[in-house]
């Protein structure tokens, strides 16, 4: 498996433009997470899905942010309109909860999408 | 509201010495704790974990200690190597779903 795939790796845009970040989780994983990394706050959980259903979006900073997971192999994080303070690295991660096993939820992260809003 | 805190943004140690990275948490419901390691331009990768029923877990040069009463955990790396230089994130969860991370500590191991 190629791991969690994120695109684009780098995005530079101007304030007010729409930004769409994409994620392909590991095949068979049933959880998908979106995190944002900033110098001040580290890794912030934005939203996560279980079996394509959003479970907790309380970390989404504003209504300008939205996330979808139309199927098990694809998710998007959209920012519209974008602002300079949205500049950060956005990570997608996925995991599999194996039935009958009680243990640690180990996330596999993608390489991240670095967003710069001018 | 940061439920997981890493108060030291950076740490520098000499090769061969011990590195101790610290993490504090506020949510007493957390029952699993993990450390992730992140190199530049890569995503974080899982390093080691510990459940709340234990106070120590060891994996080679890496040991994680958990003090539930103090809501504190630490990662010990002995001996430290230059390849250990990375950002280390502490994470905690109160079930399977939710995973909260700290701000990270940048470790530099000097040759």
């Amino acid at each position: 498996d190629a791991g969690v795939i994120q695109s684009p790796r780098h995005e530079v845009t101007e304030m007010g433009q729409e930004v769409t970040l994409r994620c392909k989780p590991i095949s068979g994983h049933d959880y998908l997470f979106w995190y944002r990394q900033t110098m001040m706050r580290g890794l912030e959980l934005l939203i996560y899905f279980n079996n394509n259903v959003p479970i907790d979006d309380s970390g989404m900073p504003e209504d300008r942010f939205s996330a979808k997971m139309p199927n098990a192999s694809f998710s998007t994080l959209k920012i519209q309109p974008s602002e300079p303070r949205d500049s950060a690295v956005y990570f997608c991660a996925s995991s599999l909860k194996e039935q009958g096993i009680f243990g640690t939820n180990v996330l596999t992260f993608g390489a991240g999408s670095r967003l710069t809003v001018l | 509201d940061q439920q997981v805190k890493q108060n030291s943004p950076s740490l520098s140690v000499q090769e061969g010495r011990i590195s101790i990275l610290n993490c504090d948490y506020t949510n007493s419901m957390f029952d699993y704790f993990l450390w992730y390691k992140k190199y530049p331009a890569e995503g974080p990768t899982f390093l080691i974990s510990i459940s709340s029923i234990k106070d120590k877990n060891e994996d080679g040069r890496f040991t994680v200690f958990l003090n539930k009463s103090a809501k504190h955990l630490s990662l010990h790396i002995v001996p430290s190597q230059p390849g250990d230089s990375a950002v280390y994130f502490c994470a905690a969860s109160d079930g399977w779903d939710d995973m909260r991370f700290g701000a990270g500590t940048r470790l530099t191991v000097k040759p």
Side-chain angles (χ1 to χ4, degrees):
Chain A
D1 199 317
V4 177
I5 308 297
Q6 290 188 246
S7 65
R9 291 295 310 274
H10 302 275
E11 174 90 5
V12 180
T13 190
E14 293 189 346
M15 183 173 64
Q17 296 297 306
E18 178 179 294
V19 173
T20 299
L21 307 178
R22 298 172 179 80
C23 175
K24 177 177 169 29
I26 291 176
S27 177
H29 279 192
D30 54 357
Y31 280 83
L32 184 140
F33 301 78
W34 281 101
Y35 285 89
R36 176 172 70 174
Q37 183 190 10
T38 62
M39 289 296 294
M40 294 301 295
R41 299 179 66 83
L43 277 171
E44 292 179 271
L45 176 62
L46 300 177
I47 184 172
Y48 72 91
F49 297 81
N50 176 221
N51 292 322
N52 314 338
V53 176
I55 303 300
D56 184 352
D57 65 354
S58 59
M60 298 285 260
E62 299 171 32
D63 290 345
R64 299 184 294 107
F65 286 69
S66 63
K68 294 182 180 179
M69 193 165 185
N71 57 64
S73 60
F74 184 65
S75 177
T76 60
L77 178 67
K78 186 175 292 185
I79 308 172
Q80 166 63 20
S82 58
E83 296 183 3
R85 59 192 168 126
D86 302 330
S87 298
V89 181
Y90 291 80
F91 287 101
C92 175
S94 69
S95 68
L96 171 65
K97 184 175 185 179
E98 298 180 23
Q99 294 299 319
I101 293 178
F102 177 71
T104 309
N105 183 6
V106 177
L107 276 60
T108 300
F109 282 82
S113 294
R114 180 177 294 277
L115 172 65
T116 302
V117 183
L118 303 175
Chain B
D1 176 26
Q2 290 231 284
Q3 299 183 53
V4 179
K5 299 179 182 179
Q6 293 176 257
N7 293 319
S8 298
S10 63
L11 174 68
S12 181
V13 301
Q14 208 67 36
E15 181 179 5
R17 305 296 288 269
I18 184 171
S19 295
I20 300 177
L21 296 96
N22 294 303
C23 177
D24 297 294
Y25 60 95
T26 58
N27 188 342
S28 59
M29 298 299 291
F30 286 145
D31 56 3
Y32 262 103
F33 305 88
L34 306 89
W35 286 92
Y36 283 76
K37 179 178 179 179
K38 183 186 178 305
Y39 291 118
E42 296 181 9
T45 56
F46 171 71
L47 184 60
I48 192 170
S49 67
I50 188 168
S51 77
S52 59
I53 62 173
K54 294 184 176 181
D55 54 19
K56 177 182 175 181
N57 188 26
E58 193 171 351
D59 183 3
R61 297 185 297 113
F62 302 90
T63 303
V64 57
F65 295 91
L66 176 62
N67 182 333
K68 290 185 291 295
S69 61
K71 294 191 178 67
H72 177 84
L73 66 154
S74 61
L75 174 69
H76 292 210
I77 306 173
V78 182
S80 303
Q81 299 173 355
D84 297 330
S85 297
V87 176
Y88 289 79
F89 289 98
C90 171
S93 69
D94 63 355
W96 187 270
D97 298 8
D98 205 347
M99 186 69 63
R100 302 285 169 167
F101 284 78
T105 297
R106 181 178 300 278
L107 173 66
T108 302
V109 181
K110 298 179 179 178

